Amino acid sequence: MPPSISHPQHARLRGLVERVTFHTEETGYCVLKVRPDRSSEVVAVLGKTPRVVAGERIEATGEWVQNAEYGRQFKAASMRLSRPDTSDGLVRYLGSGLIDGIGPKYAQRVVEKFGDEVFDIIENYSARLEEVEGIGKKRRQEIRDSWMKQKSIHDIMVFLHERGISTARALRIHKTYGEEAVEVLRQNPYRLAMDIHGVGFKTADEIAGQMGIAPEAPQRLRAGLMYALEKASEAGHTCLPEAVLKQQAGEILGVDPVLVESVLSEMLREPALVSEKAEDGLRIFLSPLYRAEQSIAKRMLELASRPAGFPEIEMEKALEWAQEKTGRQLAPSQRQAVERALQERVLILTGGPGVGKTTIVNTVLTVLGAKKVQMVLGAPTGRAAQRLAESTRREARTVHRLLEFQGDGVWGRNALKPLDGDYFVVDECSMMDAPLMAQYLAALPKEAHLLLVGDADQLPSVGPGAVLHDLLVSGAIPSVRLTEIFRQAAESRIITAAHAINQGNMPDLKPAADGDFFFLERGEGQEIQDTIVSLVRDRLPARYGFDPVRDIQVLCPMNRNLLGTRVMNGVLQKALNPGSQMGFEVERFGQIYRAGDKVIQIRNNYDKEVFNGDIGRIASIESEPVKITVQFDGGRNVAYEPGELDELQLAYAITIHKSQGSEFSCVVIPFAMAHFVMLERSLIYTAVTRGKKLVVVVGESKALGMAARQAGARERWTGLVARLAGVGPA
């Protein structure tokens, strides 16, 4: 919608809903035509409500805004709707299609007959409806059944609102539990955290408190323990030592850790949790993560125990022929890696940038292609799959697409319906978390061969587990670690800087006129921020011809503080895509979106076929009703309603974690002591290796040196190494 001029004071609006112009049950977003009390003028009201029917009374608080195209509108921060209290309202309400069996014609008749007693008649004396012309027994029963269902929804919404539950959450709760919502909440409000996406322990705990559940109630302690383990999995752990779990749960719940001990003992006798002995005592797993690690260990050890089953290959001739075919001569270390890949049923190929992983993969695929081996290529993200396809000139898809993921834990490919193919390659496998790797391995056919390619020194997966790291550390799976940087790659200061960082050393920071890696020393947050804006908007486009939105990517260590993504996105949006009177913009979830903005998808959406980490630009914003169209890489357009914009964030700046699996022409990285909690080698190493043509680090050299020296600062608790080594049960 066009830009709007806001008046800061809060206003109140009461009136009658004349028409529902737009409403989506998914998010509650609506555009209503309302006739205010004591006014003949109909105004547009924009806001959120789980349900709305023409004819209802509305009471809303918010502010009046002046829209350049549509005039004066009321932007509602909150709205409360109630049944109509006038004949006109009653006719509109009953004739709106809300109740089966009553259209505008019958609505007029029943209101004329019963007036404001009509609801009581429908609910308690429905036989009297047959006094109205055209209503017989069948229609009368249809009307009453439909009314009782609608009344149930209304009652549930009132119950939830009275307990401080927002409209959006109330809608999710009703959609999940239906007519049983109130009973579910009365029995155990903590079910919300388990059953509904977007409702966490803290929200459920607030609701429980409002409903009078005691701080030391067993159901609260159980929920707190589960939440502690879920938080640990979000931080990358697949388990927690028992003592750590008790301590963290106690802190979350605000109770003595001793109180959770007996509850934990009970829970360990149930299917949700699993305990396992380790060197540091008992470790506690969420069952799905325990099973995922078991499954990975079992399948990988099976593959490693068997020799390759390829058609016969005369190695010397095959390699000479492949080198001619690819135009790439193999160094001795690369030749050995290719031979291993053609001799093993499973191999891990790891190494940093410039060590020839792509050359090795292409040579292996060329040899196997000549032998008519069916090859299946995949990667964890869309951008990584696209890069793999470009480098191999073969089809590559995301792992989710290969496995035909349908959402809600449903996979089209699994052990019962395995993938088709002989040789499977997964690139960027450092990004594969334990559940995804378990699912992928389970879907491989019995005679499959597997090549896992990745850089073990990059950041681990966002999800739980450290699969690539654990597979390598265990020593149980054949692997090749490449370390030799080849001449052409060694000429790149990006690559030499990355390898220096990876060895715990400070990279060469001396400027080189024709270099591709630069460090700009800046000592204070605002100075760093100002320099980055100047670089992105002016200096880099002028010097290198980069498009500031398409080609340049700012990578931040974290979301918060002056140099985090939230602040940097606001500053860069203002610099690169400022608002104008003629431009289009929409504000949702505290963020302004404009046509031309760079955005990133932050969760998988299988209906729209866009995935966490996909980057695009807002191509257009339409109004009445509002629709936002985003063009993602590859030119594919995807439409969003306003209530779906919580799936998008501005992407002028993204976190280094979000950049995994991607490459950008130019990368700009703020790096300061203010990020001290995140200063760690794999973080800056991952950031630097995202740049293809140019990397500019702006900040404090002290912070860069500290990060380079700090290895393994955020190690993960997992059980996979022990399982692969045969210590834990496989």
Side-chain angles (χ1 to χ4, degrees):
M1 70 176 47
S4 52
I5 303 163
S6 299
H7 302 285
Q9 71 271 22
H10 277 277
R12 188 177 297 276
L13 174 73
R14 295 184 181 90
L16 180 76
V17 178
E18 291 267 328
R19 181 159 59 91
V20 180
T21 303
F22 175 79
H23 181 249
T24 170
E25 283 194 1
E26 193 65 36
T27 61
Y29 179 73
C30 63
V31 179
L32 311 176
K33 296 296 185 187
V34 172
R35 187 180 302 279
D37 293 343
R38 296 183 296 281
S39 172
S40 58
E41 175 198 7
V42 175
V43 299
V45 175
L46 291 71
K48 270 190 165 187
T49 181
R51 55 190 296 279
V52 58
V53 181
E56 284 188 303
R57 294 279 306 158
I58 182 172
E59 184 173 331
T61 57
E63 59 186 6
W64 290 100
V65 297
Q66 188 65 35
N67 185 288
E69 186 174 347
Y70 297 104
R72 194 163 176 254
Q73 297 177 328
F74 191 83
K75 198 172 178 182
S78 68
M79 59 173 70
R80 187 173 290 276
L81 292 144
S82 56
R83 291 177 195 158
D85 54 8
T86 66
S87 293
D88 182 40
L90 287 167
V91 171
R92 286 181 183 277
Y93 185 78
L94 292 171
S96 65
L98 172 76
I99 303 168
D100 297 339
I102 300 185
K105 181 175 71 173
Y106 285 109
Q108 187 73 44
R109 290 180 186 175
V110 297
V111 171
E112 285 177 0
K113 177 74 176 173
F114 301 114
D116 58 9
E117 295 181 356
V118 65
F119 299 125
D120 188 42
I121 295 292
I122 293 173
E123 191 170 331
N124 299 309
Y125 308 101
S126 65
R128 290 196 60 195
L129 290 173
E130 295 182 33
E131 297 172 19
V132 176
E133 182 186 351
I135 297 182
K137 184 177 180 181
K138 184 178 178 184
R139 184 183 292 272
R140 183 255 294 180
Q141 288 176 334
E142 183 182 21
I143 290 169
R144 187 180 187 280
D145 290 347
S146 180
W147 168 255
M148 294 307 290
K149 182 180 176 185
Q150 292 300 328
K151 182 176 181 293
S152 167
I153 294 171
H154 178 80
D155 291 346
I156 289 165
M157 289 303 172
V158 169
F159 177 87
L160 297 175
H161 282 142
E162 285 175 350
R163 280 148 187 83
I165 300 171
S166 69
T167 293
R169 285 191 176 126
L171 190 72
R172 284 181 187 158
I173 291 166
H174 177 258
K175 287 185 76 173
T176 302
Y177 303 121
E179 294 182 26
E180 296 176 4
V182 173
E183 191 55 35
V184 166
L185 283 181
R186 284 192 172 123
Q187 287 186 4
N188 183 10
Y190 293 100
R191 273 189 60 183
L192 296 175
M194 295 182 280
D195 298 343
I196 301 176
H197 175 74
V199 177
F201 169 80
K202 290 184 177 176
T203 301
D205 202 35
E206 283 176 22
I207 294 166
Q210 289 164 358
M211 297 180 72
I213 290 177
E216 296 174 8
Q219 67 205 79
R220 182 172 185 267
L221 301 181
R222 293 169 74 92
L225 279 161
M226 290 297 288
Y227 178 59
L229 283 168
E230 284 158 9
K231 273 191 73 176
S233 74
E234 288 169 9
H237 307 292
T238 59
C239 59
L240 283 179
E242 184 181 25
V244 173
L245 172 58
K246 289 175 186 174
Q247 183 64 36
Q248 291 186 1
E251 289 170 5
I252 288 164
L253 292 161
V255 301
D256 190 320
V258 173
L259 282 173
V260 302
E261 200 162 334
S262 61
V263 173
L264 178 58
S265 298
E266 285 177 24
M267 292 174 73
L268 286 171
R269 292 194 287 271
E270 299 166 7
L273 302 185
V274 178
S275 65
E276 182 176 278
K277 288 181 181 176
E279 290 178 5
D280 55 358
L282 212 58
R283 290 196 176 183
I284 314 298
F285 294 75
L286 291 169
S287 291
L289 297 180
Y290 179 81
R291 290 194 300 270
E293 287 194 342
Q294 274 189 314
S295 177
I296 292 168
K298 183 179 179 185
R299 190 71 171 104
M300 290 298 286
L301 290 171
E302 279 176 359
L303 288 168
S305 69
R306 300 168 60 205
F310 298 126
E312 189 175 341
I313 297 171
E314 291 185 49
M315 199 65 74
E316 288 298 321
K317 285 185 180 179
L319 294 185
E320 291 303 319
W321 174 80
Q323 288 178 124
E324 285 180 30
K325 194 83 173 169
T326 62
R328 293 290 181 95
Q329 289 298 305
L330 298 173
S333 61
Q334 293 177 311
R335 192 182 183 96
Q336 288 170 10
V338 172
E339 289 178 5
R340 285 288 301 278
L342 295 172
Q343 290 164 349
E344 303 281 3
R345 189 167 286 271
V346 59
L347 182 73
I348 302 170
L349 180 65
T350 186
V355 296
K357 295 193 299 291
T358 299
T359 298
I360 292 165
V361 171
N362 276 328
T363 305
V364 170
L365 296 180
T366 300
V367 171
L368 294 178
K371 296 291 184 180
K372 307 300 183 199
V373 172
Q374 186 181 350
M375 294 169 287
V376 180
L377 279 58
T381 68
R383 290 172 79 89
Q386 185 180 340
R387 285 176 51 210
L388 179 60
E390 289 167 358
S391 66
T392 61
R393 296 179 182 171
R394 298 172 188 271
E395 182 188 19
R397 290 184 283 169
T398 65
V399 173
H400 281 86
R401 281 184 189 275
L402 284 173
L403 299 179
E404 299 171 12
F405 188 55
Q406 295 152 32
D408 295 326
V410 179
W411 304 81
R413 296 288 180 165
N414 48 47
L416 299 175
K417 190 183 177 187
L419 292 160
D420 298 317
D422 305 307
Y423 193 68
F424 294 81
V425 179
V426 180
D427 197 11
E428 295 287 357
C429 65
S430 63
M431 300 174 69
M432 294 276 279
D433 63 25
L436 183 58
M437 183 64 88
Q439 188 66 40
Y440 179 76
L441 293 174
L444 293 182
K446 192 169 184 296
E447 296 302 317
H449 298 73
L450 177 62
L451 177 64
L452 297 176
V453 184
D455 186 344
D457 297 315
Q458 283 188 27
L459 286 167
S461 58
V462 174
V467 178
L468 178 60
H469 171 271
D470 289 353
L471 290 173
L472 289 166
V473 166
S474 75
I477 309 301
S479 64
V480 172
R481 182 183 283 271
L482 302 164
T483 56
E484 181 183 356
I485 308 173
F486 294 100
R487 184 181 58 80
Q488 189 175 354
E491 293 171 3
S492 164
R493 283 166 60 97
I494 293 175
I495 289 174
T496 55
H499 283 274
I501 290 166
N502 203 28
Q503 289 157 16
N505 301 320
M506 188 71 133
D508 182 0
L509 303 184
K510 293 192 299 291
D514 58 347
D516 57 5
F517 174 85
F518 294 92
F519 181 84
L520 303 181
E521 182 80 47
R522 298 290 185 273
E524 183 262 328
Q526 191 60 55
E527 189 184 8
I528 296 170
Q529 188 187 96
D530 293 344
T531 300
I532 287 174
V533 171
S534 172
L535 285 167
V536 174
R537 182 185 58 201
D538 306 316
R539 292 164 61 183
L540 295 176
R543 172 72 175 82
Y544 297 95
F546 291 134
D547 181 295
V549 177
R550 185 185 63 244
D551 298 327
I552 302 174
Q553 185 60 61
V554 176
L555 299 181
C556 302
M558 59 203 301
N559 287 311
R560 295 183 303 279
N561 83 26
L562 191 65
L563 302 175
T565 57
R566 291 169 193 160
V567 173
M568 288 302 304
N569 268 315
V571 170
L572 289 166
Q573 183 191 45
K574 185 178 179 182
L576 301 175
N577 193 24
S580 70
Q581 282 299 111
M582 299 305 293
F584 289 101
E585 66 180 42
V586 62
E587 184 179 352
R588 286 294 175 276
F589 304 104
Q591 176 63 62
I592 292 172
Y593 298 89
R594 300 183 180 121
D597 273 338
K598 185 176 187 178
V599 292
I600 184 170
Q601 179 79 14
I602 60 169
R603 68 175 68 116
N604 293 336
N605 186 320
Y606 299 96
D607 294 329
K608 295 183 187 297
E609 294 193 350
V610 286
F611 302 97
N612 191 353
D614 286 354
I615 291 176
R617 279 178 94 165
I618 296 178
S620 64
I621 300 176
E622 300 168 30
S623 53
E624 207 69 41
V626 177
K627 185 177 84 169
I628 299 91
T629 301
V630 177
Q631 186 173 79
F632 285 96
D633 291 350
R636 201 167 66 84
N637 289 330
V638 178
Y640 292 80
E641 293 178 0
E644 297 174 313
L645 289 180
D646 60 345
E647 295 188 9
L648 295 175
Q649 286 179 355
L650 292 179
Y652 300 103
I654 63 175
T655 62
I656 296 167
H657 280 86
K658 285 284 186 191
S659 75
Q660 284 178 269
S662 299
E663 275 188 346
F664 307 95
S665 295
C666 174
V667 164
V668 179
I669 310 162
F671 219 71
M673 292 305 294
H675 298 130
F676 72 95
V677 295
M678 301 291 287
L679 295 182
E680 186 260 330
R681 185 181 302 165
S682 65
L683 187 80
I684 186 64
Y685 173 77
T686 299
V688 169
T689 55
R690 299 308 91 203
K692 281 195 290 188
K693 298 178 181 176
L694 184 68
V695 171
V696 184
V697 182
V698 184
E700 300 173 75
S701 53
K702 179 182 176 184
L704 186 61
M706 179 181 286
R709 291 190 299 273
Q710 188 78 5
R714 286 171 286 122
E715 290 183 2
R716 297 182 167 189
W717 278 302
T718 73
L720 185 55
V721 173
R723 259 180 271 288
L724 287 161
V727 176

